[in-house]
mmCIF file with all atom_site columns, all heavy atoms in Angstrom:
data_model
loop_
_atom_site.group_PDB
_atom_site.id
_atom_site.type_symbol
_atom_site.label_atom_id
_atom_site.label_alt_id
_atom_site.label_comp_id
_atom_site.label_asym_id
_atom_site.label_entity_id
_atom_site.label_seq_id
_atom_site.pdbx_PDB_ins_code
_atom_site.Cartn_x
_atom_site.Cartn_y
_atom_site.Cartn_z
_atom_site.occupancy
_atom_site.B_iso_or_equiv
_atom_site.pdbx_formal_charge
_atom_site.auth_seq_id
_atom_site.auth_comp_id
_atom_site.auth_asym_id
_atom_site.auth_atom_id
_atom_site.pdbx_PDB_model_num
ATOM 1   N N   . GLN A 1 3   ? 0.028   3.959  1.278   1.00 54.00 ? 538  GLN A N   1
ATOM 2   C CA  . GLN A 1 3   ? -0.452  4.842  2.354   1.00 54.00 ? 538  GLN A CA  1
ATOM 3   C C   . GLN A 1 3   ? 0.254   4.530  3.624   1.00 54.00 ? 538  GLN A C   1
ATOM 4   O O   . GLN A 1 3   ? 0.638   3.259  3.812   1.00 54.00 ? 538  GLN A O   1
ATOM 5   C CB  . GLN A 1 3   ? -1.981  4.756  2.598   1.00 54.00 ? 538  GLN A CB  1
ATOM 6   C CG  . GLN A 1 3   ? -2.806  5.226  1.463   1.00 54.00 ? 538  GLN A CG  1
ATOM 7   C CD  . GLN A 1 3   ? -4.182  5.164  1.744   1.00 54.00 ? 538  GLN A CD  1
ATOM 8   O OE1 . GLN A 1 3   ? -4.727  4.420  2.580   1.00 54.00 ? 538  GLN A OE1 1
ATOM 9   N NE2 . GLN A 1 3   ? -4.977  5.865  0.996   1.00 54.00 ? 538  GLN A NE2 1
ATOM 10  N N   . ASN A 1 30  ? 11.564  13.390 3.668   1.00 85.00 ? 565  ASN A N   1
ATOM 11  C CA  . ASN A 1 30  ? 12.186  14.676 3.743   1.00 85.00 ? 565  ASN A CA  1
ATOM 12  C C   . ASN A 1 30  ? 11.326  15.488 4.716   1.00 85.00 ? 565  ASN A C   1
ATOM 13  O O   . ASN A 1 30  ? 11.955  16.321 5.448   1.00 85.00 ? 565  ASN A O   1
ATOM 14  C CB  . ASN A 1 30  ? 12.238  15.286 2.396   1.00 85.00 ? 565  ASN A CB  1
ATOM 15  C CG  . ASN A 1 30  ? 12.752  16.740 2.403   1.00 85.00 ? 565  ASN A CG  1
ATOM 16  O OD1 . ASN A 1 30  ? 12.044  17.687 2.634   1.00 85.00 ? 565  ASN A OD1 1
ATOM 17  N ND2 . ASN A 1 30  ? 14.061  16.831 2.287   1.00 85.00 ? 565  ASN A ND2 1
ATOM 18  N N   . TYR A 1 35  ? -2.801  17.758 7.055   1.00 93.00 ? 570  TYR A N   1
ATOM 19  C CA  . TYR A 1 35  ? -3.865  18.603 6.447   1.00 93.00 ? 570  TYR A CA  1
ATOM 20  C C   . TYR A 1 35  ? -5.177  18.215 7.126   1.00 93.00 ? 570  TYR A C   1
ATOM 21  O O   . TYR A 1 35  ? -5.385  17.235 7.795   1.00 93.00 ? 570  TYR A O   1
ATOM 22  C CB  . TYR A 1 35  ? -3.912  18.020 4.999   1.00 93.00 ? 570  TYR A CB  1
ATOM 23  C CG  . TYR A 1 35  ? -2.819  18.415 4.173   1.00 93.00 ? 570  TYR A CG  1
ATOM 24  C CD1 . TYR A 1 35  ? -1.657  17.574 4.037   1.00 93.00 ? 570  TYR A CD1 1
ATOM 25  C CD2 . TYR A 1 35  ? -2.765  19.620 3.309   1.00 93.00 ? 570  TYR A CD2 1
ATOM 26  C CE1 . TYR A 1 35  ? -0.585  18.000 3.249   1.00 93.00 ? 570  TYR A CE1 1
ATOM 27  C CE2 . TYR A 1 35  ? -1.791  19.933 2.528   1.00 93.00 ? 570  TYR A CE2 1
ATOM 28  C CZ  . TYR A 1 35  ? -0.679  19.036 2.385   1.00 93.00 ? 570  TYR A CZ  1
ATOM 29  O OH  . TYR A 1 35  ? 0.375   19.359 1.639   1.00 93.00 ? 570  TYR A OH  1
ATOM 30  N N   . GLN A 1 37  ? -9.438  18.279 6.153   1.00 94.00 ? 572  GLN A N   1
ATOM 31  C CA  . GLN A 1 37  ? -10.417 18.195 5.184   1.00 94.00 ? 572  GLN A CA  1
ATOM 32  C C   . GLN A 1 37  ? -11.779 18.212 5.773   1.00 94.00 ? 572  GLN A C   1
ATOM 33  O O   . GLN A 1 37  ? -12.020 17.214 6.451   1.00 94.00 ? 572  GLN A O   1
ATOM 34  C CB  . GLN A 1 37  ? -10.176 17.068 4.134   1.00 94.00 ? 572  GLN A CB  1
ATOM 35  C CG  . GLN A 1 37  ? -11.061 16.981 2.990   1.00 94.00 ? 572  GLN A CG  1
ATOM 36  C CD  . GLN A 1 37  ? -10.945 15.780 2.123   1.00 94.00 ? 572  GLN A CD  1
ATOM 37  O OE1 . GLN A 1 37  ? -10.677 14.783 2.687   1.00 94.00 ? 572  GLN A OE1 1
ATOM 38  N NE2 . GLN A 1 37  ? -11.002 16.076 0.791   1.00 94.00 ? 572  GLN A NE2 1
ATOM 39  N N   . ARG A 1 41  ? -14.866 18.757 0.775   1.00 84.00 ? 576  ARG A N   1
ATOM 40  C CA  . ARG A 1 41  ? -14.097 19.992 0.369   1.00 84.00 ? 576  ARG A CA  1
ATOM 41  C C   . ARG A 1 41  ? -12.584 19.532 0.215   1.00 84.00 ? 576  ARG A C   1
ATOM 42  O O   . ARG A 1 41  ? -12.118 18.409 0.373   1.00 84.00 ? 576  ARG A O   1
ATOM 43  C CB  . ARG A 1 41  ? -14.291 20.969 1.542   1.00 84.00 ? 576  ARG A CB  1
ATOM 44  C CG  . ARG A 1 41  ? -15.596 21.159 2.074   1.00 84.00 ? 576  ARG A CG  1
ATOM 45  C CD  . ARG A 1 41  ? -16.382 21.919 1.054   1.00 84.00 ? 576  ARG A CD  1
ATOM 46  N NE  . ARG A 1 41  ? -16.125 23.303 0.983   1.00 84.00 ? 576  ARG A NE  1
ATOM 47  C CZ  . ARG A 1 41  ? -16.764 24.279 1.804   1.00 84.00 ? 576  ARG A CZ  1
ATOM 48  N NH1 . ARG A 1 41  ? -17.583 23.838 2.689   1.00 84.00 ? 576  ARG A NH1 1
ATOM 49  N NH2 . ARG A 1 41  ? -16.438 25.510 1.688   1.00 84.00 ? 576  ARG A NH2 1
ATOM 50  N N   . HIS A 1 45  ? -3.837  22.985 4.405   1.00 89.00 ? 580  HIS A N   1
ATOM 51  C CA  . HIS A 1 45  ? -2.536  22.744 4.881   1.00 89.00 ? 580  HIS A CA  1
ATOM 52  C C   . HIS A 1 45  ? -2.432  23.278 6.354   1.00 89.00 ? 580  HIS A C   1
ATOM 53  O O   . HIS A 1 45  ? -2.764  24.383 6.554   1.00 89.00 ? 580  HIS A O   1
ATOM 54  C CB  . HIS A 1 45  ? -1.420  23.287 4.076   1.00 89.00 ? 580  HIS A CB  1
ATOM 55  C CG  . HIS A 1 45  ? -0.131  23.033 4.467   1.00 89.00 ? 580  HIS A CG  1
ATOM 56  N ND1 . HIS A 1 45  ? 0.666   23.898 5.271   1.00 89.00 ? 580  HIS A ND1 1
ATOM 57  C CD2 . HIS A 1 45  ? 0.688   21.897 4.378   1.00 89.00 ? 580  HIS A CD2 1
ATOM 58  C CE1 . HIS A 1 45  ? 1.853   23.338 5.564   1.00 89.00 ? 580  HIS A CE1 1
ATOM 59  N NE2 . HIS A 1 45  ? 1.854   22.134 5.078   1.00 89.00 ? 580  HIS A NE2 1
ATOM 60  N N   . THR A 1 94  ? 12.215  10.970 0.432   1.00 70.00 ? 629  THR A N   1
ATOM 61  C CA  . THR A 1 94  ? 13.576  11.555 0.477   1.00 70.00 ? 629  THR A CA  1
ATOM 62  C C   . THR A 1 94  ? 14.005  11.971 -0.905  1.00 70.00 ? 629  THR A C   1
ATOM 63  O O   . THR A 1 94  ? 14.850  12.819 -1.231  1.00 70.00 ? 629  THR A O   1
ATOM 64  C CB  . THR A 1 94  ? 14.662  10.764 0.945   1.00 70.00 ? 629  THR A CB  1
ATOM 65  O OG1 . THR A 1 94  ? 14.594  9.364  0.406   1.00 70.00 ? 629  THR A OG1 1
ATOM 66  C CG2 . THR A 1 94  ? 14.510  10.765 2.462   1.00 70.00 ? 629  THR A CG2 1
ATOM 67  N N   . GLY A 1 96  ? 11.907  13.364 -3.003  1.00 63.00 ? 631  GLY A N   1
ATOM 68  C CA  . GLY A 1 96  ? 11.196  14.575 -3.091  1.00 63.00 ? 631  GLY A CA  1
ATOM 69  C C   . GLY A 1 96  ? 10.283  14.607 -4.222  1.00 63.00 ? 631  GLY A C   1
ATOM 70  O O   . GLY A 1 96  ? 9.923   15.723 -4.686  1.00 63.00 ? 631  GLY A O   1
ATOM 71  N N   . PHE A 1 97  ? 9.925   13.430 -4.848  1.00 72.00 ? 632  PHE A N   1
ATOM 72  C CA  . PHE A 1 97  ? 9.033   13.551 -5.878  1.00 72.00 ? 632  PHE A CA  1
ATOM 73  C C   . PHE A 1 97  ? 7.597   13.500 -5.719  1.00 72.00 ? 632  PHE A C   1
ATOM 74  O O   . PHE A 1 97  ? 6.910   14.105 -6.416  1.00 72.00 ? 632  PHE A O   1
ATOM 75  C CB  . PHE A 1 97  ? 9.464   12.223 -6.919  1.00 72.00 ? 632  PHE A CB  1
ATOM 76  C CG  . PHE A 1 97  ? 10.876  12.357 -7.276  1.00 72.00 ? 632  PHE A CG  1
ATOM 77  C CD1 . PHE A 1 97  ? 11.682  11.255 -6.970  1.00 72.00 ? 632  PHE A CD1 1
ATOM 78  C CD2 . PHE A 1 97  ? 11.345  13.363 -8.068  1.00 72.00 ? 632  PHE A CD2 1
ATOM 79  C CE1 . PHE A 1 97  ? 13.050  11.340 -7.474  1.00 72.00 ? 632  PHE A CE1 1
ATOM 80  C CE2 . PHE A 1 97  ? 12.634  13.419 -8.474  1.00 72.00 ? 632  PHE A CE2 1
ATOM 81  C CZ  . PHE A 1 97  ? 13.544  12.482 -8.129  1.00 72.00 ? 632  PHE A CZ  1
ATOM 82  N N   . LYS A 1 98  ? 7.144   12.830 -4.624  1.00 75.00 ? 633  LYS A N   1
ATOM 83  C CA  . LYS A 1 98  ? 5.779   12.807 -4.487  1.00 75.00 ? 633  LYS A CA  1
ATOM 84  C C   . LYS A 1 98  ? 5.339   12.742 -3.010  1.00 75.00 ? 633  LYS A C   1
ATOM 85  O O   . LYS A 1 98  ? 6.103   12.243 -2.194  1.00 75.00 ? 633  LYS A O   1
ATOM 86  C CB  . LYS A 1 98  ? 5.119   11.669 -5.180  1.00 75.00 ? 633  LYS A CB  1
ATOM 87  C CG  . LYS A 1 98  ? 5.795   10.224 -4.884  1.00 75.00 ? 633  LYS A CG  1
ATOM 88  C CD  . LYS A 1 98  ? 5.230   9.194  -5.835  1.00 75.00 ? 633  LYS A CD  1
ATOM 89  C CE  . LYS A 1 98  ? 5.798   7.813  -5.515  1.00 75.00 ? 633  LYS A CE  1
ATOM 90  N NZ  . LYS A 1 98  ? 5.397   6.788  -6.536  1.00 75.00 ? 633  LYS A NZ  1
ATOM 91  N N   . THR A 1 99  ? 4.181   13.088 -2.650  1.00 82.00 ? 634  THR A N   1
ATOM 92  C CA  . THR A 1 99  ? 3.595   13.150 -1.383  1.00 82.00 ? 634  THR A CA  1
ATOM 93  C C   . THR A 1 99  ? 2.590   12.028 -1.291  1.00 82.00 ? 634  THR A C   1
ATOM 94  O O   . THR A 1 99  ? 1.639   12.030 -2.100  1.00 82.00 ? 634  THR A O   1
ATOM 95  C CB  . THR A 1 99  ? 2.968   14.635 -1.078  1.00 82.00 ? 634  THR A CB  1
ATOM 96  O OG1 . THR A 1 99  ? 3.995   15.417 -1.120  1.00 82.00 ? 634  THR A OG1 1
ATOM 97  C CG2 . THR A 1 99  ? 2.300   14.545 0.251   1.00 82.00 ? 634  THR A CG2 1
ATOM 98  N N   . PHE A 1 101 ? -0.343  10.034 1.184   1.00 89.00 ? 636  PHE A N   1
ATOM 99  C CA  . PHE A 1 101 ? -1.183  10.384 2.203   1.00 89.00 ? 636  PHE A CA  1
ATOM 100 C C   . PHE A 1 101 ? -1.475  9.159  3.145   1.00 89.00 ? 636  PHE A C   1
ATOM 101 O O   . PHE A 1 101 ? -1.570  8.090  2.680   1.00 89.00 ? 636  PHE A O   1
ATOM 102 C CB  . PHE A 1 101 ? -2.527  10.938 1.746   1.00 89.00 ? 636  PHE A CB  1
ATOM 103 C CG  . PHE A 1 101 ? -2.431  12.364 1.332   1.00 89.00 ? 636  PHE A CG  1
ATOM 104 C CD1 . PHE A 1 101 ? -1.838  12.653 0.200   1.00 89.00 ? 636  PHE A CD1 1
ATOM 105 C CD2 . PHE A 1 101 ? -2.853  13.403 2.184   1.00 89.00 ? 636  PHE A CD2 1
ATOM 106 C CE1 . PHE A 1 101 ? -1.835  14.017 -0.157  1.00 89.00 ? 636  PHE A CE1 1
ATOM 107 C CE2 . PHE A 1 101 ? -2.767  14.666 1.791   1.00 89.00 ? 636  PHE A CE2 1
ATOM 108 C CZ  . PHE A 1 101 ? -2.356  15.078 0.595   1.00 89.00 ? 636  PHE A CZ  1
ATOM 109 N N   . GLY A 1 102 ? -1.594  9.405  4.459   1.00 89.00 ? 637  GLY A N   1
ATOM 110 C CA  . GLY A 1 102 ? -2.057  8.469  5.387   1.00 89.00 ? 637  GLY A CA  1
ATOM 111 C C   . GLY A 1 102 ? -3.584  8.160  5.233   1.00 89.00 ? 637  GLY A C   1
ATOM 112 O O   . GLY A 1 102 ? -4.213  8.980  4.525   1.00 89.00 ? 637  GLY A O   1
ATOM 113 N N   . PHE B 2 34  ? 0.276   17.207 -9.542  1.00 93.00 ? 1374 PHE B N   1
ATOM 114 C CA  . PHE B 2 34  ? -0.061  15.846 -9.121  1.00 93.00 ? 1374 PHE B CA  1
ATOM 115 C C   . PHE B 2 34  ? -1.631  15.791 -9.130  1.00 93.00 ? 1374 PHE B C   1
ATOM 116 O O   . PHE B 2 34  ? -2.376  16.761 -8.960  1.00 93.00 ? 1374 PHE B O   1
ATOM 117 C CB  . PHE B 2 34  ? 0.302   15.580 -7.656  1.00 93.00 ? 1374 PHE B CB  1
ATOM 118 C CG  . PHE B 2 34  ? 1.869   15.853 -7.419  1.00 93.00 ? 1374 PHE B CG  1
ATOM 119 C CD1 . PHE B 2 34  ? 2.235   17.062 -7.137  1.00 93.00 ? 1374 PHE B CD1 1
ATOM 120 C CD2 . PHE B 2 34  ? 2.660   14.798 -7.548  1.00 93.00 ? 1374 PHE B CD2 1
ATOM 121 C CE1 . PHE B 2 34  ? 3.598   17.289 -6.914  1.00 93.00 ? 1374 PHE B CE1 1
ATOM 122 C CE2 . PHE B 2 34  ? 4.013   14.899 -7.257  1.00 93.00 ? 1374 PHE B CE2 1
ATOM 123 C CZ  . PHE B 2 34  ? 4.542   16.137 -6.953  1.00 93.00 ? 1374 PHE B CZ  1
ATOM 124 N N   . TYR B 2 36  ? -4.842  13.308 -7.661  1.00 95.00 ? 1376 TYR B N   1
ATOM 125 C CA  . TYR B 2 36  ? -5.172  12.389 -6.632  1.00 95.00 ? 1376 TYR B CA  1
ATOM 126 C C   . TYR B 2 36  ? -6.770  12.117 -6.963  1.00 95.00 ? 1376 TYR B C   1
ATOM 127 O O   . TYR B 2 36  ? -7.382  12.967 -7.315  1.00 95.00 ? 1376 TYR B O   1
ATOM 128 C CB  . TYR B 2 36  ? -5.042  12.911 -5.243  1.00 95.00 ? 1376 TYR B CB  1
ATOM 129 C CG  . TYR B 2 36  ? -3.663  13.178 -4.706  1.00 95.00 ? 1376 TYR B CG  1
ATOM 130 C CD1 . TYR B 2 36  ? -2.967  14.388 -5.132  1.00 95.00 ? 1376 TYR B CD1 1
ATOM 131 C CD2 . TYR B 2 36  ? -2.890  12.324 -3.934  1.00 95.00 ? 1376 TYR B CD2 1
ATOM 132 C CE1 . TYR B 2 36  ? -1.697  14.819 -4.766  1.00 95.00 ? 1376 TYR B CE1 1
ATOM 133 C CE2 . TYR B 2 36  ? -1.625  12.673 -3.592  1.00 95.00 ? 1376 TYR B CE2 1
ATOM 134 C CZ  . TYR B 2 36  ? -0.973  13.781 -3.985  1.00 95.00 ? 1376 TYR B CZ  1
ATOM 135 O OH  . TYR B 2 36  ? 0.306   13.941 -3.559  1.00 95.00 ? 1376 TYR B OH  1
ATOM 136 N N   . GLN B 2 38  ? -10.075 10.563 -4.496  1.00 94.00 ? 1378 GLN B N   1
ATOM 137 C CA  . GLN B 2 38  ? -10.479 10.169 -3.187  1.00 94.00 ? 1378 GLN B CA  1
ATOM 138 C C   . GLN B 2 38  ? -11.985 9.797  -3.270  1.00 94.00 ? 1378 GLN B C   1
ATOM 139 O O   . GLN B 2 38  ? -12.873 10.310 -3.737  1.00 94.00 ? 1378 GLN B O   1
ATOM 140 C CB  . GLN B 2 38  ? -10.429 11.358 -2.322  1.00 94.00 ? 1378 GLN B CB  1
ATOM 141 C CG  . GLN B 2 38  ? -10.760 11.178 -0.844  1.00 94.00 ? 1378 GLN B CG  1
ATOM 142 C CD  . GLN B 2 38  ? -10.723 12.544 0.034   1.00 94.00 ? 1378 GLN B CD  1
ATOM 143 O OE1 . GLN B 2 38  ? -11.020 13.600 -0.581  1.00 94.00 ? 1378 GLN B OE1 1
ATOM 144 N NE2 . GLN B 2 38  ? -10.301 12.288 1.179   1.00 94.00 ? 1378 GLN B NE2 1
ATOM 145 N N   . SER B 2 43  ? -8.804  7.915  2.024   1.00 90.00 ? 1383 SER B N   1
ATOM 146 C CA  . SER B 2 43  ? -7.770  8.964  1.838   1.00 90.00 ? 1383 SER B CA  1
ATOM 147 C C   . SER B 2 43  ? -7.522  9.344  0.453   1.00 90.00 ? 1383 SER B C   1
ATOM 148 O O   . SER B 2 43  ? -8.206  8.732  -0.471  1.00 90.00 ? 1383 SER B O   1
ATOM 149 C CB  . SER B 2 43  ? -6.460  8.349  2.524   1.00 90.00 ? 1383 SER B CB  1
ATOM 150 O OG  . SER B 2 43  ? -5.549  9.298  2.548   1.00 90.00 ? 1383 SER B OG  1
ATOM 151 N N   . MET B 2 45  ? -5.524  9.066  -2.926  1.00 93.00 ? 1385 MET B N   1
ATOM 152 C CA  . MET B 2 45  ? -4.560  8.112  -3.572  1.00 93.00 ? 1385 MET B CA  1
ATOM 153 C C   . MET B 2 45  ? -3.989  8.925  -4.844  1.00 93.00 ? 1385 MET B C   1
ATOM 154 O O   . MET B 2 45  ? -4.606  9.294  -5.681  1.00 93.00 ? 1385 MET B O   1
ATOM 155 C CB  . MET B 2 45  ? -5.441  6.973  -4.101  1.00 93.00 ? 1385 MET B CB  1
ATOM 156 C CG  . MET B 2 45  ? -6.011  6.166  -2.971  1.00 93.00 ? 1385 MET B CG  1
ATOM 157 S SD  . MET B 2 45  ? -4.745  5.329  -1.959  1.00 93.00 ? 1385 MET B SD  1
ATOM 158 C CE  . MET B 2 45  ? -4.125  4.039  -3.143  1.00 93.00 ? 1385 MET B CE  1
ATOM 159 N N   . GLU B 2 59  ? 0.920   6.094  -11.355 1.00 93.00 ? 1399 GLU B N   1
ATOM 160 C CA  . GLU B 2 59  ? 1.062   5.078  -10.229 1.00 93.00 ? 1399 GLU B CA  1
ATOM 161 C C   . GLU B 2 59  ? 0.659   3.768  -10.759 1.00 93.00 ? 1399 GLU B C   1
ATOM 162 O O   . GLU B 2 59  ? -0.228  3.691  -11.571 1.00 93.00 ? 1399 GLU B O   1
ATOM 163 C CB  . GLU B 2 59  ? 0.382   5.594  -8.974  1.00 93.00 ? 1399 GLU B CB  1
ATOM 164 C CG  . GLU B 2 59  ? 0.958   6.870  -8.443  1.00 93.00 ? 1399 GLU B CG  1
ATOM 165 C CD  . GLU B 2 59  ? 2.421   6.767  -7.996  1.00 93.00 ? 1399 GLU B CD  1
ATOM 166 O OE1 . GLU B 2 59  ? 2.574   5.785  -7.116  1.00 93.00 ? 1399 GLU B OE1 1
ATOM 167 O OE2 . GLU B 2 59  ? 3.210   7.509  -8.489  1.00 93.00 ? 1399 GLU B OE2 1
ATOM 168 N N   . PHE B 2 91  ? -13.882 12.145 -6.094  1.00 96.00 ? 1431 PHE B N   1
ATOM 169 C CA  . PHE B 2 91  ? -13.386 13.365 -5.802  1.00 96.00 ? 1431 PHE B CA  1
ATOM 170 C C   . PHE B 2 91  ? -11.953 13.530 -6.430  1.00 96.00 ? 1431 PHE B C   1
ATOM 171 O O   . PHE B 2 91  ? -11.155 12.629 -5.924  1.00 96.00 ? 1431 PHE B O   1
ATOM 172 C CB  . PHE B 2 91  ? -13.522 13.700 -4.338  1.00 96.00 ? 1431 PHE B CB  1
ATOM 173 C CG  . PHE B 2 91  ? -13.361 15.140 -3.992  1.00 96.00 ? 1431 PHE B CG  1
ATOM 174 C CD1 . PHE B 2 91  ? -14.237 16.055 -4.550  1.00 96.00 ? 1431 PHE B CD1 1
ATOM 175 C CD2 . PHE B 2 91  ? -12.562 15.600 -2.967  1.00 96.00 ? 1431 PHE B CD2 1
ATOM 176 C CE1 . PHE B 2 91  ? -14.209 17.458 -4.182  1.00 96.00 ? 1431 PHE B CE1 1
ATOM 177 C CE2 . PHE B 2 91  ? -12.418 16.937 -2.700  1.00 96.00 ? 1431 PHE B CE2 1
ATOM 178 C CZ  . PHE B 2 91  ? -13.319 17.792 -3.342  1.00 96.00 ? 1431 PHE B CZ  1
ATOM 179 N N   . LYS B 2 97  ? 3.359   21.968 -7.327  1.00 85.00 ? 1437 LYS B N   1
ATOM 180 C CA  . LYS B 2 97  ? 4.622   22.162 -6.525  1.00 85.00 ? 1437 LYS B CA  1
ATOM 181 C C   . LYS B 2 97  ? 5.386   23.316 -7.045  1.00 85.00 ? 1437 LYS B C   1
ATOM 182 O O   . LYS B 2 97  ? 5.531   23.316 -8.366  1.00 85.00 ? 1437 LYS B O   1
ATOM 183 C CB  . LYS B 2 97  ? 5.468   20.923 -6.454  1.00 85.00 ? 1437 LYS B CB  1
ATOM 184 C CG  . LYS B 2 97  ? 6.719   20.991 -5.648  1.00 85.00 ? 1437 LYS B CG  1
ATOM 185 C CD  . LYS B 2 97  ? 7.443   19.612 -5.510  1.00 85.00 ? 1437 LYS B CD  1
ATOM 186 C CE  . LYS B 2 97  ? 6.634   18.768 -4.442  1.00 85.00 ? 1437 LYS B CE  1
ATOM 187 N NZ  . LYS B 2 97  ? 7.466   17.526 -4.219  1.00 85.00 ? 1437 LYS B NZ  1
ATOM 188 N N   . SER B 2 101 ? 12.132  20.346 -5.324  1.00 55.00 ? 1441 SER B N   1
ATOM 189 C CA  . SER B 2 101 ? 11.279  19.318 -5.015  1.00 55.00 ? 1441 SER B CA  1
ATOM 190 C C   . SER B 2 101 ? 10.880  19.130 -3.471  1.00 55.00 ? 1441 SER B C   1
ATOM 191 O O   . SER B 2 101 ? 9.896   18.541 -3.124  1.00 55.00 ? 1441 SER B O   1
ATOM 192 C CB  . SER B 2 101 ? 12.079  18.061 -5.379  1.00 55.00 ? 1441 SER B CB  1
ATOM 193 O OG  . SER B 2 101 ? 13.171  17.815 -4.540  1.00 55.00 ? 1441 SER B OG  1
ATOM 194 N N   . TYR B 2 102 ? 11.702  19.775 -2.648  1.00 58.00 ? 1442 TYR B N   1
ATOM 195 C CA  . TYR B 2 102 ? 11.260  19.776 -1.186  1.00 58.00 ? 1442 TYR B CA  1
ATOM 196 C C   . TYR B 2 102 ? 10.238  20.745 -0.732  1.00 58.00 ? 1442 TYR B C   1
ATOM 197 O O   . TYR B 2 102 ? 9.854   20.874 0.399   1.00 58.00 ? 1442 TYR B O   1
ATOM 198 C CB  . TYR B 2 102 ? 12.554  19.860 -0.392  1.00 58.00 ? 1442 TYR B CB  1
ATOM 199 C CG  . TYR B 2 102 ? 13.531  18.725 -0.542  1.00 58.00 ? 1442 TYR B CG  1
ATOM 200 C CD1 . TYR B 2 102 ? 14.954  18.964 -0.577  1.00 58.00 ? 1442 TYR B CD1 1
ATOM 201 C CD2 . TYR B 2 102 ? 13.070  17.411 -0.854  1.00 58.00 ? 1442 TYR B CD2 1
ATOM 202 C CE1 . TYR B 2 102 ? 15.784  18.113 -0.784  1.00 58.00 ? 1442 TYR B CE1 1
ATOM 203 C CE2 . TYR B 2 102 ? 14.097  16.464 -1.237  1.00 58.00 ? 1442 TYR B CE2 1
ATOM 204 C CZ  . TYR B 2 102 ? 15.412  16.842 -1.135  1.00 58.00 ? 1442 TYR B CZ  1
ATOM 205 O OH  . TYR B 2 102 ? 16.313  15.863 -1.435  1.00 58.00 ? 1442 TYR B OH  1
ATOM 206 N N   . GLU B 2 104 ? 6.637   22.777 -0.464  1.00 73.00 ? 1444 GLU B N   1
ATOM 207 C CA  . GLU B 2 104 ? 5.256   22.502 -0.155  1.00 73.00 ? 1444 GLU B CA  1
ATOM 208 C C   . GLU B 2 104 ? 4.544   22.357 -1.422  1.00 73.00 ? 1444 GLU B C   1
ATOM 209 O O   . GLU B 2 104 ? 4.699   23.023 -2.445  1.00 73.00 ? 1444 GLU B O   1
ATOM 210 C CB  . GLU B 2 104 ? 4.646   23.568 0.790   1.00 73.00 ? 1444 GLU B CB  1
ATOM 211 C CG  . GLU B 2 104 ? 3.280   23.341 1.185   1.00 73.00 ? 1444 GLU B CG  1
ATOM 212 C CD  . GLU B 2 104 ? 2.821   24.475 2.030   1.00 73.00 ? 1444 GLU B CD  1
ATOM 213 O OE1 . GLU B 2 104 ? 3.721   25.163 2.502   1.00 73.00 ? 1444 GLU B OE1 1
ATOM 214 O OE2 . GLU B 2 104 ? 1.597   24.722 2.099   1.00 73.00 ? 1444 GLU B OE2 1
ATOM 215 N N   . GLN B 2 105 ? 3.524   21.466 -1.407  1.00 81.00 ? 1445 GLN B N   1
ATOM 216 C CA  . GLN B 2 105 ? 2.507   21.372 -2.380  1.00 81.00 ? 1445 GLN B CA  1
ATOM 217 C C   . GLN B 2 105 ? 1.285   22.155 -2.017  1.00 81.00 ? 1445 GLN B C   1
ATOM 218 O O   . GLN B 2 105 ? 0.885   22.274 -0.907  1.00 81.00 ? 1445 GLN B O   1
ATOM 219 C CB  . GLN B 2 105 ? 2.104   19.916 -2.620  1.00 81.00 ? 1445 GLN B CB  1
ATOM 220 C CG  . GLN B 2 105 ? 3.034   18.974 -3.328  1.00 81.00 ? 1445 GLN B CG  1
ATOM 221 C CD  . GLN B 2 105 ? 2.464   17.537 -3.355  1.00 81.00 ? 1445 GLN B CD  1
ATOM 222 O OE1 . GLN B 2 105 ? 3.034   16.585 -2.820  1.00 81.00 ? 1445 GLN B OE1 1
ATOM 223 N NE2 . GLN B 2 105 ? 1.370   17.272 -4.171  1.00 81.00 ? 1445 GLN B NE2 1
ATOM 224 N N   . PHE B 2 107 ? -2.821  22.644 -2.858  1.00 90.00 ? 1447 PHE B N   1
ATOM 225 C CA  . PHE B 2 107 ? -3.824  21.767 -3.352  1.00 90.00 ? 1447 PHE B CA  1
ATOM 226 C C   . PHE B 2 107 ? -5.030  22.638 -3.890  1.00 90.00 ? 1447 PHE B C   1
ATOM 227 O O   . PHE B 2 107 ? -5.309  23.667 -3.393  1.00 90.00 ? 1447 PHE B O   1
ATOM 228 C CB  . PHE B 2 107 ? -4.335  20.762 -2.227  1.00 90.00 ? 1447 PHE B CB  1
ATOM 229 C CG  . PHE B 2 107 ? -3.442  19.742 -2.004  1.00 90.00 ? 1447 PHE B CG  1
ATOM 230 C CD1 . PHE B 2 107 ? -2.369  19.955 -1.156  1.00 90.00 ? 1447 PHE B CD1 1
ATOM 231 C CD2 . PHE B 2 107 ? -3.644  18.369 -2.557  1.00 90.00 ? 1447 PHE B CD2 1
ATOM 232 C CE1 . PHE B 2 107 ? -1.459  18.759 -0.908  1.00 90.00 ? 1447 PHE B CE1 1
ATOM 233 C CE2 . PHE B 2 107 ? -2.860  17.388 -2.322  1.00 90.00 ? 1447 PHE B CE2 1
ATOM 234 C CZ  . PHE B 2 107 ? -1.728  17.523 -1.570  1.00 90.00 ? 1447 PHE B CZ  1
#
Side-chain angles (χ1 to χ4, degrees):
Chain A
Q538 294 181 344
N565 178 271
Y570 291 86
Q572 184 182 36
R576 310 291 281 274
H580 182 261
T629 49
F632 297 121
K633 55 188 180 183
T634 295
F636 282 80
Chain B
F1374 304 86
Y1376 296 82
Q1378 184 182 32
S1383 186
M1385 296 293 292
E1399 293 299 302
F1431 196 51
K1437 182 174 282 189
S1441 61
Y1442 300 143
E1444 181 183 338
Q1445 284 179 248
F1447 285 81

